[in-house]
Amino acid sequence: MVRGRISRLSVHDLRFPTSLEGHGSDAMVGANASGLIDARHTDPDYSAAYVVLETDAEDGLKGCGLTFTLGKGTEVVVCAVNALAPHLLNKDLGDIVGDFRGFYRQLTSDGQLRWIGPEKGAVHLATAAVLNAVWDLWAKQEGKPLWKLLVDMDPRMLLSCIDFRYITDVLTEEEAYEILQKGQVGKKEREEQMQTQGYPAYTTSCAWLGYTDTRLTQLCSEALKDGWTRFKVKVGADLQDDIRRCRLIRNVIGPEKTLMMDANQRWDVPEAVEWMAKLAEFKPLWIEEPTCPDDILGHAAISKCHNRVIFKQLLQAKALQFLQIDSCRLGSVNENLSVLLMAKKFGVPVCPHAGGVGLCELVQHLIIFDFISVSASLKDRMCEYVDHLHEHFKYPVVIRKACYMPPKDAGYSTEMKEESVRQHQYPDGEVWKELLAAQGN
Amino acid sequence: MVRGRISRLSVHDLRFPTSLEGHGSDAMVGANASGLIDARHTDPDYSAAYVVLETDAEDGLKGCGLTFTLGKGTEVVVCAVNALAPHLLNKDLGDIVGDFRGFYRQLTSDGQLRWIGPEKGAVHLATAAVLNAVWDLWAKQEGKPLWKLLVDMDPRMLLSCIDFRYITDVLTEEEAYEILQKGQVGKKEREEQMQTQGYPAYTTSCAWLGYTDTRLTQLCSEALKDGWTRFKVKVGADLQDDIRRCRLIRNVIGPEKTLMMDANQRWDVPEAVEWMAKLAEFKPLWIEEPTCPDDILGHAAISKCHNRVIFKQLLQAKALQFLQIDSCRLGSVNENLSVLLMAKKFGVPVCPHAGGVGLCELVQHLIIFDFISVSASLKDRMCEYVDHLHEHFKYPVVIRKACYMPPKDAGYSTEMKEESVRQHQYPDGEVWKELLAAQGN
């Protein structure tokens, strides 16, 4: 079914001026170029390095992929995408997905780019953007949404997409095969369950640090009315502030609803222990990223990580009670598959990170596949949801009764509206031209 | 003493066609854009993102800094340097070094760049290049080589350059102060010892994977004659090959000399154990990077890491018997200071990584400072030496009887010859114009 030779790769620096609204503000200490250090992310302009692949197949299908970035970080990732481009150009799509493990290894082992990674930072984000586009194209050619492509795929073929390098000490290909074989039982029923009920979500849209108490109260009340029962609040900038805001939220949502907290790497280990003791009365289900994401021995309860090797160790060290995959920080579907399989082996529930630009659109495919074919369980599981920027996507997420409904359109839901792409290009898109002119630049 | 406002930051993409000679070939599986995967780094063109800072001080002094890269990886790092530049421009050097911890935090916390790090990958390499230039400028203005600037610096001032974030669970500022205070005893004698005898080195120049057996034998014999007693060999591509090459080297250098092995992240954990059992008869002192550098629980004997948090855990987990700092992979002098102090606390000898472009020139300052002011010991300690590309530096390393002799010139030995910079700019320098023309590009 797969067809065509990749004839063009273009990459766009897309930025959304979200910082103007206080969306995305969290406790990460941010510094801007004028040296102002604030206890919040002050200019988190949500952005994407957006990749479009074209082929000579004459079917009009394009593969769209992205990775989530912030502001000027995008230009570095765009540069890395361009450095990876020669690996794709003039390559047959069939050859790529026919030996996807080999192709993944080729990208992550580029002799000149590996030094500035490996499998981390700008280069790994670029790998994700490029491979997300390949998966989108593949799924479109097969005429299926990505989750369905994965669910229907022969287990051996699926495993041939995964690079097991550096994880064979905890998961071999044979073990992974057994997991997928067991996942065949009851698959049809679970697929139907997804189609009717969707995958449970939680919302982070109500409680950014930059929101006023009034806004926070209002957003929580509205979310309750819409059926949300699980909420995440950003903490870590100021303790008294956190106590006040958590109390406020608990007052609105009541003692029974689920509350999670996210400190966005704000603390040292001793500080995290002390701070969290003070917030314990608000009964958080988890504390996300209390400290540096590289700190495996620092015992994060839940953590976003940059590759499968870090996840492997967090599982080995029993440092995770929940595991947060990310569709754009890990090396696309390929690397996420390996993490889903390891999580299954260790019995740790996966609760994906989402939000940003497109992260919800992408990650829903992975978690729906996980439920149908791997974990077969919804116990302690939910997928993050943030209500931003969906309007720019051609196939935006559909949330019903606080659940992600399985996408029906072919592809990885990565494609953005042409108009949105044009307007948000930095610095020449209309949106930025106006903003920069207003700032006198 | 510190003076001037930073009036200009320029960054150059410098590449040296070292791959033509087989220098720098190691076991990392390299892939090039035509998809050829080879069990060796096949196109390791040693490169540097080279930063030059100018001030308005009218003393003619420039701060030069670099980070080591490979080929096209350089353009991504150059892009990241440009993204960091606004943090430095129009800033007083006095304000920067007067609150160097704050400035380090400002750079590594940039709200828009942190997402594509943090403190890892292209952005962290760019931080290193930029801050190396600041240290060079500072040392030049003080009229001292960098190691001497550090040795003479008041301990409190020195600590004010270190960001203790994420490491206070193993090293507090007070503990670090006590270490430095103890290091004052016998300092003068150790400085004299360095001046007369230098810091012991080992050579990696004899045994790259790409060298023929004849060349390997010849280089080892010559090195012995020059007084070298410690050798490192690259392994990990092919077991029978490794056995043959190690036997060859042992035959030349004899059973008493020291031999180290470097697998450059080639193996999975079980593979490493098996492979090394086969090489044990050649009595390696250490095995460097047997597996993924992110794999703290994978028990590397010695490892190059990308930040202080990874080093912290390797020390906590007792996974390191030797510790390898790198002047350009960590966040400049600032972050290396924190790692030297942690190594002292844990009693682990530091044996720096060097080679590449300029790594020997830079790291000698750090290890000489370490001996005089921190570790006060040479036991099990030595600094890597690779005999490449020193001719491009204005103040190249001086090796005498297999020891690094303390630099005498003011600065961080980072400054390159103008001619070398001009010729090796990519792609417009003379060297590349000719090479690319010869390749018909």
mmCIF file of all heavy atoms in Angstrom, chain A residues 28 70 72 110 112 114-115 166 168 265 268 294-297 307 312-313 329, chain B residues 28 43 70 72 110 112 114-115 166 168 265 268 294-297 307 312-313 329:
data_model
loop_
_atom_site.group_PDB
_atom_site.id
_atom_site.type_symbol
_atom_site.label_atom_id
_atom_site.label_comp_id
_atom_site.label_asym_id
_atom_site.label_seq_id
_atom_site.Cartn_x
_atom_site.Cartn_y
_atom_site.Cartn_z
ATOM 1 N N MET A 28 8.626 27.096 36.084
ATOM 2 C CA MET A 28 10.012 27.095 35.638
ATOM 3 C C MET A 28 10.554 28.510 35.686
ATOM 4 O O MET A 28 9.938 29.434 35.183
ATOM 5 C CB MET A 28 10.089 26.540 34.212
ATOM 6 C CG MET A 28 11.485 26.506 33.647
ATOM 7 S SD MET A 28 12.752 26.022 34.842
ATOM 8 C CE MET A 28 12.165 24.431 35.377
ATOM 9 N N LEU A 70 9.225 26.361 22.126
ATOM 10 C CA LEU A 70 8.850 27.673 22.643
ATOM 11 C C LEU A 70 9.668 28.749 21.947
ATOM 12 O O LEU A 70 10.904 28.706 21.965
ATOM 13 C CB LEU A 70 9.095 27.748 24.154
ATOM 14 C CG LEU A 70 8.201 26.879 25.049
ATOM 15 C CD1 LEU A 70 8.698 26.901 26.490
ATOM 16 C CD2 LEU A 70 6.750 27.336 24.988
ATOM 17 N N LYS A 72 11.983 31.283 20.379
ATOM 18 C CA LYS A 72 13.204 31.212 19.566
ATOM 19 C C LYS A 72 13.878 29.841 19.613
ATOM 20 O O LYS A 72 14.772 29.559 18.802
ATOM 21 C CB LYS A 72 14.177 32.316 19.973
ATOM 22 C CG LYS A 72 14.746 32.161 21.362
ATOM 23 C CD LYS A 72 15.585 33.374 21.769
ATOM 24 C CE LYS A 72 15.848 33.305 23.276
ATOM 25 N NZ LYS A 72 16.626 34.413 23.788
ATOM 26 N N ASP A 110 23.257 9.569 13.118
ATOM 27 C CA ASP A 110 23.987 10.413 12.178
ATOM 28 C C ASP A 110 25.333 10.799 12.805
ATOM 29 O O ASP A 110 25.383 11.376 13.892
ATOM 30 C CB ASP A 110 23.165 11.670 11.881
ATOM 31 C CG ASP A 110 23.866 12.582 10.878
ATOM 32 O OD1 ASP A 110 24.943 13.136 11.218
ATOM 33 O OD2 ASP A 110 23.365 12.732 9.768
ATOM 34 N N GLN A 112 27.467 12.992 12.405
ATOM 35 C CA GLN A 112 27.806 14.383 12.722
ATOM 36 C C GLN A 112 26.796 15.037 13.664
ATOM 37 O O GLN A 112 27.067 16.102 14.204
ATOM 38 C CB GLN A 112 27.921 15.187 11.424
ATOM 39 C CG GLN A 112 29.032 14.630 10.516
ATOM 40 C CD GLN A 112 29.440 15.587 9.424
ATOM 41 O OE1 GLN A 112 28.631 16.383 8.948
ATOM 42 N NE2 GLN A 112 30.695 15.522 9.021
ATOM 43 N N ARG A 114 25.043 13.128 16.135
ATOM 44 C CA ARG A 114 24.948 12.389 17.376
ATOM 45 C C ARG A 114 25.673 13.092 18.531
ATOM 46 O O ARG A 114 25.245 13.034 19.682
ATOM 47 C CB ARG A 114 25.541 10.993 17.164
ATOM 48 C CG ARG A 114 25.153 10.045 18.251
ATOM 49 C CD ARG A 114 25.696 8.645 18.039
ATOM 50 N NE ARG A 114 25.762 8.017 19.346
ATOM 51 C CZ ARG A 114 24.720 7.510 19.977
ATOM 52 N NH1 ARG A 114 23.551 7.520 19.412
ATOM 53 N NH2 ARG A 114 24.852 6.995 21.186
ATOM 54 N N TRP A 115 26.768 13.747 18.216
ATOM 55 C CA TRP A 115 27.550 14.423 19.252
ATOM 56 C C TRP A 115 26.725 15.490 19.979
ATOM 57 O O TRP A 115 26.905 15.712 21.173
ATOM 58 C CB TRP A 115 28.821 15.051 18.648
ATOM 59 C CG TRP A 115 29.683 15.674 19.691
ATOM 60 C CD1 TRP A 115 29.716 16.980 20.074
ATOM 61 C CD2 TRP A 115 30.632 14.997 20.529
ATOM 62 N NE1 TRP A 115 30.619 17.169 21.093
ATOM 63 C CE2 TRP A 115 31.190 15.965 21.386
ATOM 64 C CE3 TRP A 115 31.057 13.662 20.629
ATOM 65 C CZ2 TRP A 115 32.161 15.645 22.338
ATOM 66 C CZ3 TRP A 115 32.021 13.344 21.572
ATOM 67 C CH2 TRP A 115 32.561 14.328 22.416
ATOM 68 N N TYR A 166 19.989 -0.214 23.950
ATOM 69 C CA TYR A 166 20.113 0.328 25.310
ATOM 70 C C TYR A 166 18.956 -0.059 26.236
ATOM 71 O O TYR A 166 18.905 0.386 27.378
ATOM 72 C CB TYR A 166 20.256 1.856 25.323
ATOM 73 C CG TYR A 166 21.432 2.399 24.566
ATOM 74 C CD1 TYR A 166 21.316 3.588 23.829
ATOM 75 C CD2 TYR A 166 22.674 1.764 24.577
ATOM 76 C CE1 TYR A 166 22.392 4.113 23.133
ATOM 77 C CE2 TYR A 166 23.753 2.282 23.870
ATOM 78 C CZ TYR A 166 23.605 3.452 23.147
ATOM 79 O OH TYR A 166 24.674 3.983 22.454
ATOM 80 N N THR A 168 17.645 -3.507 26.058
ATOM 81 C CA THR A 168 17.486 -4.969 26.072
ATOM 82 C C THR A 168 17.706 -5.565 27.457
ATOM 83 O O THR A 168 17.286 -6.690 27.707
ATOM 84 C CB THR A 168 18.458 -5.650 25.084
ATOM 85 O OG1 THR A 168 19.796 -5.275 25.425
ATOM 86 C CG2 THR A 168 18.173 -5.229 23.658
ATOM 87 N N GLN A 265 9.920 21.165 37.474
ATOM 88 C CA GLN A 265 11.377 21.114 37.734
ATOM 89 C C GLN A 265 11.883 22.231 38.630
ATOM 90 O O GLN A 265 13.044 22.631 38.535
ATOM 91 C CB GLN A 265 12.176 21.143 36.420
ATOM 92 C CG GLN A 265 11.662 20.204 35.362
ATOM 93 C CD GLN A 265 12.195 20.540 33.979
ATOM 94 O OE1 GLN A 265 13.212 21.213 33.851
ATOM 95 N NE2 GLN A 265 11.531 20.056 32.962
ATOM 96 N N ASP A 268 15.031 21.683 44.221
ATOM 97 C CA ASP A 268 16.047 20.705 44.558
ATOM 98 C C ASP A 268 15.356 19.600 45.351
ATOM 99 O O ASP A 268 14.235 19.789 45.830
ATOM 100 C CB ASP A 268 17.141 21.346 45.419
ATOM 101 C CG ASP A 268 18.154 22.065 44.547
ATOM 102 O OD1 ASP A 268 17.745 22.601 43.503
ATOM 103 O OD2 ASP A 268 19.334 22.098 44.904
ATOM 104 N N ASP A 294 16.542 15.033 34.651
ATOM 105 C CA ASP A 294 17.661 14.098 34.526
ATOM 106 C C ASP A 294 17.921 13.345 35.825
ATOM 107 O O ASP A 294 18.762 12.453 35.865
ATOM 108 C CB ASP A 294 18.949 14.856 34.156
ATOM 109 C CG ASP A 294 18.927 15.347 32.719
ATOM 110 O OD1 ASP A 294 18.143 14.804 31.927
ATOM 111 O OD2 ASP A 294 19.691 16.265 32.407
ATOM 112 N N ASP A 295 17.237 13.739 36.893
ATOM 113 C CA ASP A 295 17.591 13.198 38.200
ATOM 114 C C ASP A 295 16.797 11.941 38.523
ATOM 115 O O ASP A 295 15.801 11.960 39.228
ATOM 116 C CB ASP A 295 17.373 14.253 39.287
ATOM 117 C CG ASP A 295 18.132 13.886 40.552
ATOM 118 O OD1 ASP A 295 18.595 12.728 40.657
ATOM 119 O OD2 ASP A 295 18.267 14.742 41.434
ATOM 120 N N ILE A 296 17.287 10.812 38.009
ATOM 121 C CA ILE A 296 16.614 9.531 38.192
ATOM 122 C C ILE A 296 16.540 9.152 39.661
ATOM 123 O O ILE A 296 15.553 8.603 40.137
ATOM 124 C CB ILE A 296 17.349 8.444 37.387
ATOM 125 C CG1 ILE A 296 17.027 8.650 35.919
ATOM 126 C CG2 ILE A 296 16.942 7.045 37.825
ATOM 127 C CD1 ILE A 296 18.201 8.465 35.019
ATOM 128 N N LEU A 297 17.604 9.455 40.395
ATOM 129 C CA LEU A 297 17.632 9.096 41.810
ATOM 130 C C LEU A 297 16.888 10.115 42.658
ATOM 131 O O LEU A 297 16.774 9.973 43.858
ATOM 132 C CB LEU A 297 19.082 8.941 42.265
ATOM 133 C CG LEU A 297 19.898 7.959 41.401
ATOM 134 C CD1 LEU A 297 21.356 7.946 41.818
ATOM 135 C CD2 LEU A 297 19.330 6.552 41.467
ATOM 136 N N ASN A 307 14.164 10.455 26.584
ATOM 137 C CA ASN A 307 14.321 9.257 25.763
ATOM 138 C C ASN A 307 14.022 7.983 26.544
ATOM 139 O O ASN A 307 13.800 8.011 27.754
ATOM 140 C CB ASN A 307 15.704 9.202 25.078
ATOM 141 C CG ASN A 307 16.847 9.025 26.065
ATOM 142 O OD1 ASN A 307 16.713 8.368 27.082
ATOM 143 N ND2 ASN A 307 17.979 9.625 25.739
ATOM 144 N N LYS A 312 13.604 3.947 31.090
ATOM 145 C CA LYS A 312 13.994 2.602 31.521
ATOM 146 C C LYS A 312 14.490 2.615 32.966
ATOM 147 O O LYS A 312 14.086 1.814 33.800
ATOM 148 C CB LYS A 312 15.110 2.048 30.606
ATOM 149 C CG LYS A 312 15.607 0.678 31.019
ATOM 150 C CD LYS A 312 16.823 0.232 30.221
ATOM 151 C CE LYS A 312 18.095 0.880 30.730
ATOM 152 N NZ LYS A 312 19.319 0.292 30.148
ATOM 153 N N GLN A 313 15.358 3.576 33.260
ATOM 154 C CA GLN A 313 15.947 3.620 34.592
ATOM 155 C C GLN A 313 14.929 4.044 35.653
ATOM 156 O O GLN A 313 14.968 3.559 36.781
ATOM 157 C CB GLN A 313 17.113 4.595 34.609
ATOM 158 C CG GLN A 313 18.236 4.152 33.699
ATOM 159 C CD GLN A 313 19.259 5.245 33.569
ATOM 160 O OE1 GLN A 313 20.130 5.377 34.410
ATOM 161 N NE2 GLN A 313 19.124 6.072 32.553
ATOM 162 N N ARG A 329 8.535 14.793 22.325
ATOM 163 C CA ARG A 329 9.835 14.876 22.997
ATOM 164 C C ARG A 329 10.601 13.582 22.772
ATOM 165 O O ARG A 329 11.805 13.578 22.546
ATOM 166 C CB ARG A 329 9.638 15.174 24.488
ATOM 167 C CG ARG A 329 10.913 15.406 25.257
ATOM 168 C CD ARG A 329 10.684 16.105 26.589
ATOM 169 N NE ARG A 329 10.655 17.545 26.475
ATOM 170 C CZ ARG A 329 11.717 18.330 26.318
ATOM 171 N NH1 ARG A 329 12.922 17.812 26.276
ATOM 172 N NH2 ARG A 329 11.606 19.627 26.215
ATOM 173 N N MET B 28 31.282 4.304 17.595
ATOM 174 C CA MET B 28 29.898 4.746 17.497
ATOM 175 C C MET B 28 29.371 4.420 16.120
ATOM 176 O O MET B 28 29.993 4.722 15.116
ATOM 177 C CB MET B 28 29.837 6.257 17.758
ATOM 178 C CG MET B 28 28.441 6.808 17.664
ATOM 179 S SD MET B 28 27.165 5.723 18.360
ATOM 180 C CE MET B 28 27.725 5.504 20.029
ATOM 181 N N ASP B 43 32.498 9.863 9.306
ATOM 182 C CA ASP B 43 32.835 11.200 8.827
ATOM 183 C C ASP B 43 32.966 12.187 9.991
ATOM 184 O O ASP B 43 32.283 13.195 10.045
ATOM 185 C CB ASP B 43 31.792 11.690 7.803
ATOM 186 C CG ASP B 43 30.358 11.570 8.329
ATOM 187 O OD1 ASP B 43 30.181 11.045 9.439
ATOM 188 O OD2 ASP B 43 29.446 12.023 7.640
ATOM 189 N N LEU B 70 30.848 18.128 15.599
ATOM 190 C CA LEU B 70 31.247 17.354 14.422
ATOM 191 C C LEU B 70 30.441 17.836 13.220
ATOM 192 O O LEU B 70 29.203 17.824 13.248
ATOM 193 C CB LEU B 70 30.989 15.863 14.637
ATOM 194 C CG LEU B 70 31.869 15.142 15.678
ATOM 195 C CD1 LEU B 70 31.361 13.724 15.921
ATOM 196 C CD2 LEU B 70 33.331 15.099 15.254
ATOM 197 N N LYS B 72 28.179 18.899 10.391
ATOM 198 C CA LYS B 72 26.968 19.719 10.284
ATOM 199 C C LYS B 72 26.280 19.945 11.627
ATOM 200 O O LYS B 72 25.391 20.802 11.727
ATOM 201 C CB LYS B 72 26.000 19.113 9.265
ATOM 202 C CG LYS B 72 25.421 17.791 9.685
ATOM 203 C CD LYS B 72 24.582 17.164 8.567
ATOM 204 C CE LYS B 72 24.273 15.717 8.928
ATOM 205 N NZ LYS B 72 23.550 14.978 7.915
ATOM 206 N N ASP B 110 16.760 30.391 30.135
ATOM 207 C CA ASP B 110 16.061 31.152 29.109
ATOM 208 C C ASP B 110 14.716 30.469 28.835
ATOM 209 O O ASP B 110 14.646 29.299 28.461
ATOM 210 C CB ASP B 110 16.901 31.190 27.830
ATOM 211 C CG ASP B 110 16.213 31.995 26.729
ATOM 212 O OD1 ASP B 110 15.151 31.555 26.229
ATOM 213 O OD2 ASP B 110 16.727 33.052 26.377
ATOM 214 N N GLN B 112 12.591 30.451 26.578
ATOM 215 C CA GLN B 112 12.270 29.879 25.266
ATOM 216 C C GLN B 112 13.271 28.813 24.818
ATOM 217 O O GLN B 112 13.010 28.086 23.864
ATOM 218 C CB GLN B 112 12.170 30.997 24.223
ATOM 219 C CG GLN B 112 11.068 32.015 24.578
ATOM 220 C CD GLN B 112 10.691 32.892 23.414
ATOM 221 O OE1 GLN B 112 11.503 33.177 22.548
ATOM 222 N NE2 GLN B 112 9.436 33.343 23.391
ATOM 223 N N ARG B 114 14.967 26.746 27.207
ATOM 224 C CA ARG B 114 15.047 25.674 28.174
ATOM 225 C C ARG B 114 14.312 24.411 27.706
ATOM 226 O O ARG B 114 14.735 23.290 27.978
ATOM 227 C CB ARG B 114 14.459 26.159 29.501
ATOM 228 C CG ARG B 114 14.812 25.284 30.646
ATOM 229 C CD ARG B 114 14.259 25.753 31.966
ATOM 230 N NE ARG B 114 14.168 24.596 32.830
ATOM 231 C CZ ARG B 114 15.187 24.069 33.461
ATOM 232 N NH1 ARG B 114 16.381 24.612 33.382
ATOM 233 N NH2 ARG B 114 15.049 22.987 34.193
ATOM 234 N N TRP B 115 13.238 24.605 26.986
ATOM 235 C CA TRP B 115 12.452 23.458 26.517
ATOM 236 C C TRP B 115 13.264 22.527 25.621
ATOM 237 O O TRP B 115 13.070 21.315 25.633
ATOM 238 C CB TRP B 115 11.193 23.935 25.767
ATOM 239 C CG TRP B 115 10.330 22.806 25.350
ATOM 240 C CD1 TRP B 115 10.307 22.180 24.140
ATOM 241 C CD2 TRP B 115 9.375 22.113 26.160
ATOM 242 N NE1 TRP B 115 9.384 21.156 24.140
ATOM 243 C CE2 TRP B 115 8.803 21.096 25.374
ATOM 244 C CE3 TRP B 115 8.954 22.264 27.488
ATOM 245 C CZ2 TRP B 115 7.828 20.224 25.860
ATOM 246 C CZ3 TRP B 115 7.969 21.397 27.971
ATOM 247 C CH2 TRP B 115 7.427 20.396 27.160
ATOM 248 N N TYR B 166 19.796 21.647 41.866
ATOM 249 C CA TYR B 166 19.658 20.208 41.603
ATOM 250 C C TYR B 166 20.796 19.360 42.173
ATOM 251 O O TYR B 166 20.827 18.150 41.962
ATOM 252 C CB TYR B 166 19.531 19.894 40.097
ATOM 253 C CG TYR B 166 18.375 20.551 39.397
ATOM 254 C CD1 TYR B 166 18.512 21.039 38.100
ATOM 255 C CD2 TYR B 166 17.126 20.680 40.021
ATOM 256 C CE1 TYR B 166 17.451 21.634 37.434
ATOM 257 C CE2 TYR B 166 16.064 21.277 39.363
ATOM 258 C CZ TYR B 166 16.233 21.757 38.067
ATOM 259 O OH TYR B 166 15.178 22.341 37.406
ATOM 260 N N THR B 168 22.094 20.176 45.548
ATOM 261 C CA THR B 168 22.244 20.449 46.985
ATOM 262 C C THR B 168 21.993 19.217 47.838
ATOM 263 O O THR B 168 22.403 19.190 49.000
ATOM 264 C CB THR B 168 21.283 21.567 47.454
ATOM 265 O OG1 THR B 168 19.937 21.171 47.124
ATOM 266 C CG2 THR B 168 21.596 22.874 46.771
ATOM 267 N N GLN B 265 29.919 4.101 23.683
ATOM 268 C CA GLN B 265 28.467 3.872 23.765
ATOM 269 C C GLN B 265 27.962 2.786 22.832
ATOM 270 O O GLN B 265 26.804 2.792 22.432
ATOM 271 C CB GLN B 265 27.693 5.168 23.467
ATOM 272 C CG GLN B 265 28.214 6.371 24.193
ATOM 273 C CD GLN B 265 27.701 7.668 23.590
ATOM 274 O OE1 GLN B 265 26.687 7.681 22.890
ATOM 275 N NE2 GLN B 265 28.361 8.765 23.868
ATOM 276 N N ASP B 268 24.767 -2.576 24.423
ATOM 277 C CA ASP B 268 23.734 -2.703 25.434
ATOM 278 C C ASP B 268 24.409 -3.281 26.679
ATOM 279 O O ASP B 268 25.531 -3.796 26.601
ATOM 280 C CB ASP B 268 22.644 -3.658 24.957
ATOM 281 C CG ASP B 268 21.640 -2.946 24.063
ATOM 282 O OD1 ASP B 268 22.055 -2.025 23.339
ATOM 283 O OD2 ASP B 268 20.461 -3.301 24.093
ATOM 284 N N ASP B 294 23.293 8.121 29.056
ATOM 285 C CA ASP B 294 22.165 8.438 29.934
ATOM 286 C C ASP B 294 21.872 7.313 30.922
ATOM 287 O O ASP B 294 21.029 7.465 31.801
ATOM 288 C CB ASP B 294 20.887 8.664 29.102
ATOM 289 C CG ASP B 294 20.927 9.975 28.334
ATOM 290 O OD1 ASP B 294 21.714 10.859 28.734
ATOM 291 O OD2 ASP B 294 20.183 10.103 27.361
ATOM 292 N N ASP B 295 22.556 6.190 30.753
ATOM 293 C CA ASP B 295 22.179 5.024 31.539
ATOM 294 C C ASP B 295 22.959 4.945 32.847
ATOM 295 O O ASP B 295 23.949 4.242 32.969
ATOM 296 C CB ASP B 295 22.381 3.746 30.720
ATOM 297 C CG ASP B 295 21.626 2.577 31.329
ATOM 298 O OD1 ASP B 295 21.169 2.704 32.480
ATOM 299 O OD2 ASP B 295 21.490 1.546 30.663
ATOM 300 N N ILE B 296 22.443 5.661 33.842
ATOM 301 C CA ILE B 296 23.109 5.721 35.137
ATOM 302 C C ILE B 296 23.166 4.349 35.790
ATOM 303 O O ILE B 296 24.143 3.988 36.434
ATOM 304 C CB ILE B 296 22.375 6.725 36.042
ATOM 305 C CG1 ILE B 296 22.713 8.124 35.554
ATOM 306 C CG2 ILE B 296 22.779 6.584 37.499
ATOM 307 C CD1 ILE B 296 21.564 9.051 35.562
ATOM 308 N N LEU B 297 22.094 3.590 35.614
ATOM 309 C CA LEU B 297 22.044 2.285 36.250
ATOM 310 C C LEU B 297 22.788 1.238 35.425
ATOM 311 O O LEU B 297 22.904 0.100 35.824
ATOM 312 C CB LEU B 297 20.595 1.876 36.490
ATOM 313 C CG LEU B 297 19.781 2.920 37.276
ATOM 314 C CD1 LEU B 297 18.324 2.514 37.349
ATOM 315 C CD2 LEU B 297 20.337 3.124 38.673
ATOM 316 N N ASN B 307 25.711 16.902 31.990
ATOM 317 C CA ASN B 307 25.549 17.944 33.007
ATOM 318 C C ASN B 307 25.816 17.430 34.416
ATOM 319 O O ASN B 307 26.017 16.242 34.624
ATOM 320 C CB ASN B 307 24.182 18.647 32.903
ATOM 321 C CG ASN B 307 23.018 17.728 33.249
ATOM 322 O OD1 ASN B 307 23.135 16.849 34.099
ATOM 323 N ND2 ASN B 307 21.892 17.937 32.585
ATOM 324 N N LYS B 312 26.155 13.751 39.250
ATOM 325 C CA LYS B 312 25.748 13.592 40.650
ATOM 326 C C LYS B 312 25.243 12.183 40.904
ATOM 327 O O LYS B 312 25.635 11.520 41.861
ATOM 328 C CB LYS B 312 24.650 14.608 40.998
ATOM 329 C CG LYS B 312 24.127 14.476 42.414
ATOM 330 C CD LYS B 312 22.922 15.366 42.664
ATOM 331 C CE LYS B 312 21.644 14.756 42.105
ATOM 332 N NZ LYS B 312 20.426 15.459 42.571
ATOM 333 N N GLN B 313 24.374 11.711 40.013
ATOM 334 C CA GLN B 313 23.778 10.394 40.216
ATOM 335 C C GLN B 313 24.771 9.265 40.030
ATOM 336 O O GLN B 313 24.733 8.262 40.726
ATOM 337 C CB GLN B 313 22.614 10.208 39.247
ATOM 338 C CG GLN B 313 21.501 11.184 39.505
ATOM 339 C CD GLN B 313 20.476 11.120 38.391
ATOM 340 O OE1 GLN B 313 19.594 10.277 38.407
ATOM 341 N NE2 GLN B 313 20.623 11.966 37.398
ATOM 342 N N ARG B 329 31.425 20.188 26.969
ATOM 343 C CA ARG B 329 30.126 19.524 27.006
ATOM 344 C C ARG B 329 29.340 20.005 28.230
ATOM 345 O O ARG B 329 28.138 20.236 28.158
ATOM 346 C CB ARG B 329 30.315 18.004 27.029
ATOM 347 C CG ARG B 329 29.036 17.204 26.915
ATOM 348 C CD ARG B 329 29.282 15.766 26.507
ATOM 349 N NE ARG B 329 29.333 15.605 25.064
ATOM 350 C CZ ARG B 329 28.257 15.607 24.251
ATOM 351 N NH1 ARG B 329 27.050 15.743 24.731
ATOM 352 N NH2 ARG B 329 28.395 15.459 22.958
#
